[in-house]
Amino acid sequence: MITKVHQSTNLAGTMRYVYQEYKGAEVVDTSCMRADLEGAQAEIASAMGERPEIKKPVFHAILSVPAHDNVSHDQWQQIAEEYTERMGFGAAPYVAVAHHDTDHHHIHIVASRVDVTGRLVSDSFEKYRSQEIARDLEIKHDLTRVPSSWEVPERAPTRAEYHGLERTGQESTREVLKVAIKQELDRHERAPELAAA
């Protein structure tokens, strides 16, 4: 399971995207009294309140699985419920919406970073925690194991780099430099030799 975690200032835009950008959107879990766009958005906005000291009060996570992992509505509900609880959003209003517009199944979770008691949900190490939770959920729900970011030897190209290569046929400057540096590192055994090269 791949997880992407974002923070935002724009609740209305995030909710519009999650509910309306793809017409087949399906609410799989929520802690809100109403699951429709207007009701869930109002409840999340109410929890966030007027807290100008919180720069990005909207939490948005995307959890996706490979195309061959068939995840049922009930499984997504369980995954969303456990994920939000373990990420610290158990007392915060949230909604989890499944999208079926790509070859890999995924859900979007939108939550208030302020829970119903007025407590700010910690974002400390949230990307790390998100991946740790994903590893546990893969085991629990018999999903394909995806390596965490710290388990892969090098960073993958960004989306912009990938699309740039498709569009122009040219590698990005970062990718060209990465290959050149790797080649030089392979040729020199010690740092002083590399520096002198």
Side-chain angles (χ1 to χ4, degrees):
M1 178 183 304
I2 296 172
T3 67
K4 295 181 181 177
V5 177
H6 310 279
Q7 293 181 9
S8 172
T9 58
N10 187 354
L11 175 62
T14 303
M15 293 291 282
R16 231 179 2 261
Y17 170 77
V18 166
Y19 272 85
Q20 298 174 342
E21 186 73 19
Y22 172 64
K23 299 302 180 195
E26 168 192 16
V27 176
V28 293
D29 190 35
T30 186
S31 63
C32 298
M33 297 296 287
R34 288 176 42 198
D36 62 288
L37 171 62
E38 293 78 18
Q41 183 173 323
E43 192 168 334
I44 292 169
S46 175
M48 291 185 325
E50 296 298 319
R51 300 282 297 269
E53 76 277 13
I54 304 171
K55 302 298 181 212
K56 294 184 177 180
V58 180
F59 173 82
H60 179 196
I62 304 165
L63 312 181
S64 61
V65 296
H68 59 271
D69 279 350
N70 293 317
V71 181
S72 69
H73 178 95
D74 290 343
Q75 278 183 298
W76 273 131
Q77 179 187 15
Q78 293 167 17
I79 288 168
E81 192 173 306
E82 183 172 341
Y83 177 85
T84 53
E85 178 71 33
R86 290 183 59 188
M87 285 294 288
F89 294 95
Y94 72 88
V95 64
V97 180
H99 284 193
H100 307 286
D101 58 333
T102 63
D103 61 351
H104 57 278
H105 301 273
H106 62 282
I107 60 171
H108 294 260
I109 298 173
V110 181
S112 166
R113 289 195 51 237
V114 180
D115 71 17
V116 294
T117 68
R119 181 186 66 86
L120 178 64
V121 177
S122 173
D123 62 355
S124 181
F125 301 105
E126 72 181 1
K127 291 181 180 179
Y128 174 84
R129 288 185 293 122
S130 179
Q131 291 180 68
E132 285 288 297
I133 295 165
R135 300 299 75 82
D136 292 344
L137 291 169
E138 287 165 348
I139 294 166
K140 185 173 184 178
H141 293 276
D142 196 28
L143 301 172
T144 302
R145 170 78 162 76
V146 176
S148 295
S149 61
W150 56 88
E151 295 174 312
V152 293
E154 55 188 52
R155 197 177 108 203
T158 65
R159 182 181 305 173
E161 289 169 337
Y162 174 78
H163 290 300
L165 176 61
E166 275 192 335
R167 191 175 57 256
T168 66
Q170 299 285 324
E171 293 275 1
S172 71
T173 303
R174 186 178 74 85
E175 286 296 309
V176 170
L177 287 171
K178 184 169 75 174
V179 170
I181 290 169
K182 185 171 178 3
Q183 288 172 343
E184 288 299 317
L185 285 171
D186 290 343
R187 289 181 35 207
H188 302 284
E189 291 183 21
R190 289 182 267 169
E193 292 175 7
L194 177 60

